Amino acid sequence: GNSVTQMEGPVTLSEEAFLTINCTYTATGYPSLFWYVQYPGEGLQLLLKATKADDKGSNKGFEATYRKETTSFHLEKGSVQVSDSAVYFCALSDQTGANNLFFGTGTRLTVIP
Amino acid sequence: DGGITQSPKYLFRKEGQNVTLSCEQNLNHDAMYWYRQDPGQGLRLIYYSQIVNDFQKGDIAEGYSVSREKKESFPLTVTSAQKNPTAFYLCASKQAGVWGTQYFGPGTRLLVL
């Protein structure tokens, strides 16, 4: 079946620190992979995505590389800001059936000045 | 502006009452989804619809009902059979095809009085 395992939080970092949030997946077929971000009280916003092995998704200084050999899609950012404080969700969408999204449990990031 | 709107932002339900959450999109997307989010958990799929007048149950459909009479609208009814309805409800939509990305509305928080 399809599932996503995400690094448990919460994660607290100082401003300008390096961020890594780990994400591994199990899937049938060749899934697309996503990172969504949720700010307090809001819906989810797409942060970045990758649709095939070795693709790198990037946006707003965040990046993640689709690693088929390790079934991973780790999120990284070189220098976090206070405004990056949010909950981050890793998700996959398989290319069969209804093409639904399967989410990890989310990782809460707090960046302190 | 194109997007997904959900209303109301907050909704209160009395015991034994049915309530309906609205979701509208003007993105001309074919597929629409309803998710439930509980604190500290990922999103769980309630119902989805890939085309007008058709919908399928997700992982936690019991106690919920939907309709899809128009392409742009996908209302969710939380019935009295749902014994633990307090949660944050998110609606999403996606263009047809396996490469489509789901985009989310701002959410509705349902509270039980």
Side-chain angles (χ1 to χ4, degrees):
Chain A
N2 297 307
S3 67
V4 174
T5 301
Q6 202 175 325
M7 171 180 169
E8 289 193 18
V11 174
T12 302
L13 294 173
S14 297
E15 205 165 22
E16 299 183 3
F18 184 86
L19 168 71
T20 300
I21 301 178
N22 290 339
C23 172
T24 57
Y25 67 89
T26 302
T28 54
Y30 303 95
S32 292
L33 301 173
F34 304 84
W35 277 100
Y36 284 86
V37 59
Q38 184 178 35
Y39 299 101
E42 298 184 10
L44 273 66
Q45 299 177 25
L46 178 67
L47 182 59
L48 53 85
K49 70 176 186 179
T51 58
K52 62 182 187 296
D54 299 325
D55 267 3
K56 177 185 283 188
S58 61
N59 186 27
K60 299 180 181 180
F62 291 90
E63 58 182 35
T65 301
Y66 188 146
R67 302 284 189 202
K68 191 170 186 296
E69 64 277 13
T70 55
T71 61
S72 65
F73 193 55
H74 305 322
L75 181 68
E76 296 182 336
K77 187 176 185 183
S79 177
V80 294
Q81 305 301 312
V82 172
S83 57
D84 294 327
S85 298
V87 180
Y88 293 82
F89 290 94
C90 184
L92 73 82
S93 173
D94 69 13
Q95 306 311 321
T96 61
N99 191 222
N100 292 332
L101 279 176
F102 297 84
F103 285 89
T105 54
T107 301
R108 180 176 298 278
L109 170 67
T110 300
V111 180
I112 54 177
Chain B
D1 288 352
I4 304 171
T5 56
Q6 290 186 242
S7 62
K9 189 172 176 67
Y10 296 95
L11 186 58
F12 298 90
R13 193 190 92 164
K14 296 179 181 178
E15 293 289 339
Q17 186 181 41
N18 293 353
V19 292
T20 297
L21 285 62
S22 169
C23 177
E24 304 276 333
Q25 53 98 1
N26 60 4
L27 300 168
N28 200 34
H29 285 171
D30 295 297
M32 297 186 74
Y33 305 79
W34 274 107
Y35 294 89
R36 171 179 171 140
Q37 185 179 22
D38 293 285
Q41 298 188 31
L43 279 68
R44 292 183 289 169
L45 183 64
I46 304 172
Y47 269 98
Y48 64 98
S49 168
Q50 294 182 291
I51 195 169
V52 174
N53 291 324
D54 189 41
F55 49 83
Q56 285 78 42
K57 294 181 179 180
D59 300 320
I60 56 166
E62 186 175 349
Y64 300 97
S65 66
V66 294
S67 63
R68 187 85 187 277
E69 298 176 0
K70 299 185 296 182
K71 186 175 184 178
E72 59 270 22
S73 179
F74 191 41
L76 173 74
T77 296
V78 183
T79 74
S80 57
Q82 173 50 245
K83 297 307 179 188
N84 185 23
T86 297
F88 191 48
Y89 290 87
L90 289 158
C91 177
S93 70
K94 183 179 81 68
Q95 189 54 277
V98 297
W99 305 113
T101 298
Q102 288 190 29
Y103 294 94
F104 285 79
T108 292
R109 187 165 300 281
L110 177 60
L111 300 165
V112 176
L113 295 177

